[in-house]
Amino acid sequence: MKKILTIIIVVTAVIIISFVVLIKTYVTPEKVKAFLVPYAEQALNRKISIGEVNISLFRGIDIKDFAIKETDGKSDFVKCKDFILKFQLLPILSRKVIVDELKLLSPEIRIIRDNKGSFNFEGIGEKEKQQAGKEEKQDAAAKGLPISLLVKNISIKDAGFSFVDSTKALPDTRGSFAIDSNIKSTDGTQLSSTGNIDLKLSEIIFGTPSRKPIRDLNAALKYAADVNLSPGDIRIDKADLKIQEVPVSLTGDVKNFRKEPEINIAVSMPDTKSADLQKLLTSVVDMNGLVLSGNYSANFNITGMPKKFDSLKSGGEIKISSAKYRDLTMNDFHTKYLLKDSKLEIVKMTAVAGKGKLNVNSTIDLSKPGYAYNLSANIDSLHADEVVNSFSPKAKGTVFGLLSLNLKLNGSGTAPESIKKNLIADGDFNIRDGKITGAQITRGLSQFLNIKELETINLKQANGEVTVRNSVAHLESVFSSDDIAMDPSGNIGLDETLDLAVDLKLSPSLTKKAMGSGVAKYIKDDKGWGDIPLKISGTFSNPSYTVDIAKAGGRVLEKEVGKALDKLLKKQKGAEGDKTPRGQKPVEDLLQEIFK
């Protein structure tokens, strides 16, 4: 953009200066061409071609088919159908140039980036000179324009541009723009400008086929700015931008824009309908089921040097009335952030979901490859089904209840495998008045124990602790209801593999159904509750259940030995105390009969 501005300024200055010199000698179109072409070619370091030139003291100067060539001197980098300059004659005599109108009709700009990463505008205005010559040029530029300048109106109409990137790092872009503005300078160094710019991006095509093209994106800018050419500073008094129907206002400063720009910009997005923002975002990115409603607002600032990311500082806040991600609706969304020293800190992120609340803060270190991040989250009484349905669609409709969660995690990486490998997390959870239904893990348990009622497990309370290390989550938990109680513990791989041990306690009514009523007498306690130690392996989608024989065997042995001792004590003293009581079976036979 800076190069394009340089081109416009140089071409305009060349025309103005040449006209001031030649007007005194009764200029002709042929003399203008003879002077203008070599002067412009020297200034831009590119070949120039112009067509017909029309000159009038009352209508100004009109150059047709003006073109700046590529480095090959043949194809066009910039071309313009009509370059029209209307000026006032008398002020020229006192070294004042008052331009009533500077108009460009149907200009076209073609920007190309080759497969080596070089742009076709590189080298414009640059000359192979000794260092002393370069310094002289910089000193001359710092002095500003040699005349007093007032351009009442600059208009660019029906302008088109295209950008093609052979490296595919940037998207290919095609669009059009129009400009209506003015420029004023009293001493040649201080420039003031106000105006309007309309931009239409007809097509943005990304290098990756998975990203859909962006089409028909419109933007309009109304601005007021001051430029100090001597130090190279820009003061933005007003920049009201509207992208589609989304308003954005900017104010601030850009210092030293010639060499290493340093910015101090404040950005404001006033309270506006979220539907307009939704429409804009949907046209640019895949929202993945996120829907905004109500109103939104945002305020933030950016300071630092864009070329040095670690120097950038930014802070601000975003408010959204309502946001729905799949099945989870969050209201009063409010976030505050801070960017400093290449670290992005989410100072605050809060939202309300029904009677529940969400509170998150996080830090992301952007200076490290793959990034490094930590997060702390607190969820209080959110509906578990909304959370599960939104973030784990495969488990949709399987978990219900009021979920509370405390979580702390840190890790690094952006690819799924890197995230799993580097993730370290600690958390605890609680579910009240819930149920687990339709899940393969409950369906498998029901089939294994032959108890249909276990396909849906109603929960009065469930709580536990989870730690994640080396791609494995370790679980310690307790689930309870009127009919069951269990304490799943063990490891769950982040690849969904299971290695859990569960002591399953069943109510008297369910105990009678466990693997056939004949086993009930071996697993139930004095109150009729059954106790079955289980092992769960496989995966969430295909779990496998087995009885923990060692654990179950110890319990059966303890129970049967107790019964045998009771019977032995009741026998007469003369009976043989070392024989197995009649009707008793060896423990091995009992286990095979019970758990076959």
Side-chain angles (χ1 to χ4, degrees):
M1 191 68 187
K2 187 168 69 176
K3 290 286 186 180
I4 295 172
L5 182 61
T6 301
I7 292 169
I8 294 174
I9 292 174
V10 169
V11 171
T12 303
V14 166
I15 293 174
I16 293 172
I17 293 171
S18 64
F19 197 77
V20 171
V21 173
L22 297 176
I23 193 69
K24 298 179 181 180
T25 59
Y26 304 99
V27 296
T28 64
E30 291 75 17
K31 289 183 178 180
V32 170
K33 280 187 179 182
F35 175 80
L36 177 61
V37 171
Y39 192 92
E41 287 182 344
Q42 183 181 14
L44 296 174
N45 195 29
R46 289 286 180 91
K47 290 289 184 182
I48 302 295
S49 69
I50 59 175
E52 181 182 353
V53 177
N54 297 314
I55 300 174
S56 170
L57 294 179
F58 302 101
R59 292 194 299 266
I61 183 169
D62 179 3
I63 299 176
K64 296 184 180 297
D65 301 322
F66 174 83
I68 302 173
K69 299 297 182 179
E70 296 280 8
T71 53
D72 60 9
K74 297 179 181 179
S75 55
D76 295 334
F77 167 56
V78 177
K79 63 180 180 179
C80 182
K81 183 179 179 180
D82 269 312
F83 194 112
I84 301 170
L85 184 67
K86 295 182 180 180
F87 57 91
Q88 297 180 15
L89 180 60
L90 293 178
I92 293 177
L93 302 177
S94 58
R95 295 181 60 82
K96 294 180 180 179
V97 176
I98 299 178
V99 177
D100 291 322
E101 183 178 31
L102 174 62
K103 182 186 294 185
L104 280 73
L105 298 179
S106 303
E108 293 185 17
I109 304 171
R110 189 181 67 159
I111 302 174
I112 299 173
R113 189 186 192 190
D114 62 27
N115 53 16
K116 295 181 180 179
S118 299
F119 292 92
N120 62 339
F121 55 73
E122 294 179 8
I124 288 182
E126 296 179 0
K127 302 174 184 179
E128 295 182 0
K129 291 183 177 181
Q130 295 180 351
Q131 186 65 29
K134 292 183 179 179
E135 292 176 355
E136 290 177 3
K137 182 179 179 182
Q138 292 172 355
D139 292 340
K143 294 178 182 178
L145 300 175
I147 54 178
S148 175
L149 175 66
L150 172 62
V151 183
K152 293 183 177 180
N153 180 256
I154 299 174
S155 64
I156 301 176
K157 297 183 177 180
D158 301 323
F161 66 92
S162 63
F163 170 66
V164 177
D165 185 6
S166 298
T167 68
K168 301 303 179 184
L170 298 173
D172 294 347
T173 306
R174 181 172 57 86
S176 60
F177 65 93
I179 298 176
D180 187 4
S181 63
N182 62 72
I183 298 176
K184 181 180 180 180
S185 175
T186 55
D187 61 1
T189 60
Q190 299 282 344
L191 300 178
S192 296
S193 179
T194 61
N196 302 285
I197 300 174
D198 293 313
L199 173 67
K200 180 178 181 179
L201 299 177
S202 303
E203 190 174 49
I204 302 174
I205 301 176
F206 297 92
T208 54
S210 59
R211 290 199 63 178
K212 65 178 182 178
I214 299 172
R215 292 185 172 90
D216 299 328
L217 188 64
N218 299 317
L221 173 66
K222 187 174 184 179
Y223 75 91
D226 298 318
V227 180
N228 191 330
L229 295 176
S230 181
D233 296 342
I234 300 174
R235 170 65 187 174
I236 303 172
D237 297 310
K238 179 181 71 173
D240 293 335
L241 177 65
K242 180 174 282 190
I243 307 173
Q244 301 292 64
E245 296 300 320
V246 176
V248 182
S249 295
L250 297 88
T251 59
D253 300 283
V254 180
K255 296 184 180 298
N256 196 23
F257 68 85
R258 285 199 186 97
K259 297 180 180 179
E260 293 186 342
E262 184 175 351
I263 63 174
N264 182 5
I265 303 294
V267 181
S268 174
M269 300 178 72
D271 201 34
T272 311
K273 292 181 179 179
S274 295
D276 295 334
L277 180 61
Q278 175 82 30
K279 185 177 180 180
L280 172 61
L281 294 176
T282 301
S283 67
V284 177
V285 297
D286 187 354
M287 297 291 282
N288 289 317
L290 178 63
V291 178
L292 307 179
S293 59
N295 289 350
Y296 76 91
S297 64
N299 294 281
F300 56 92
N301 60 70
I302 307 173
T303 62
M305 303 173 68
K307 291 183 179 180
K308 298 179 179 180
F309 184 76
D310 58 354
S311 74
L312 290 178
K313 297 179 181 179
S314 181
E317 63 178 348
I318 301 170
K319 295 180 179 180
I320 301 175
S321 299
S322 181
K324 183 177 181 181
Y325 179 68
R326 296 177 179 170
D327 288 353
L328 180 62
T329 299
M330 295 179 291
N331 298 315
D332 300 328
F333 179 87
H334 185 197
T335 185
K336 290 184 177 181
Y337 80 91
L338 178 66
L339 174 66
K340 184 179 179 181
D341 300 327
S342 299
K343 293 181 180 179
L344 176 61
E345 182 182 0
I346 306 300
V347 180
K348 171 186 178 181
M349 182 184 291
T350 59
V352 176
K355 295 182 179 180
K357 296 180 181 180
L358 170 70
N359 193 335
V360 176
N361 56 72
S362 176
T363 302
I364 304 173
D365 190 343
L366 303 175
S367 67
K368 296 182 178 180
Y371 309 138
Y373 41 81
N374 62 67
L375 177 145
S376 178
N378 171 260
I379 294 174
D380 183 16
S381 301
L382 264 63
H383 287 279
D385 56 313
E386 295 179 355
V387 177
V388 173
N389 296 351
S390 300
F391 296 99
S392 183
K394 291 181 180 180
K396 185 174 182 178
T398 60
V399 180
F400 298 84
L402 294 177
L403 171 66
S404 295
L405 170 70
N406 294 299
L407 177 66
K408 290 185 178 181
L409 64 83
N410 60 73
S412 62
T414 55
E417 291 305 316
S418 297
I419 294 173
K420 292 177 182 179
K421 179 181 178 182
N422 301 320
L423 182 63
I424 297 175
D426 297 277
D428 61 79
F429 65 90
N430 180 282
I431 300 177
R432 306 188 311 276
D433 302 324
K435 67 178 179 179
I436 303 174
T437 181
Q440 190 59 42
I441 197 164
T442 57
R443 192 178 297 115
L445 178 62
S446 171
Q447 293 171 353
F448 178 71
L449 296 177
N450 195 26
I451 302 176
K452 186 173 180 58
E453 288 85 346
L454 292 181
E455 289 186 359
T456 296
I457 299 177
N458 294 304
L459 299 172
K460 280 187 174 181
Q461 187 83 9
N463 56 73
E465 296 181 351
V466 179
T467 60
V468 179
R469 303 288 189 277
N470 301 318
S471 302
V472 176
H474 182 77
L475 172 68
E476 296 288 342
S477 61
V478 175
F479 293 69
S480 62
S481 71
D482 291 334
D483 288 320
I484 70 164
M486 54 184 174
D487 58 348
S489 64
N491 296 327
I492 302 173
L494 299 186
D495 57 358
E496 297 189 357
T497 55
L498 302 173
D499 182 14
L500 298 173
V502 180
D503 268 349
L504 178 63
K505 297 183 183 296
L506 302 174
S507 66
S509 61
L510 295 181
T511 298
K512 294 178 181 179
K513 300 179 180 181
M515 297 180 293
S517 59
V519 75
K521 64 180 181 179
Y522 297 106
I523 63 172
K524 66 181 180 180
D525 59 18
D526 295 339
K527 296 181 180 180
W529 280 72
D531 189 352
I532 305 175
L534 298 174
K535 288 184 176 181
I536 308 175
S537 57
T539 64
F540 273 110
S541 58
N542 187 25
S544 176
Y545 292 86
T546 57
V547 173
D548 188 337
I549 296 295
K551 205 169 187 180
R555 293 175 182 173
V556 172
L557 178 61
E558 180 180 353
K559 188 171 185 178
E560 291 304 310
V561 168
K563 288 181 179 180
L565 288 174
D566 286 341
K567 290 184 178 182
L568 286 173
L569 291 173
K570 293 179 181 179
K571 284 184 180 244
Q572 295 180 355
K573 294 182 179 180
E576 297 182 5
D578 58 345
K579 292 182 180 180
T580 301
R582 186 177 297 178
Q584 298 299 312
K585 297 182 179 180
V587 172
E588 293 82 356
D589 294 341
L590 286 170
L591 294 176
Q592 290 177 4
E593 177 183 325
I594 295 170
F595 303 115
K596 64 183 178 179

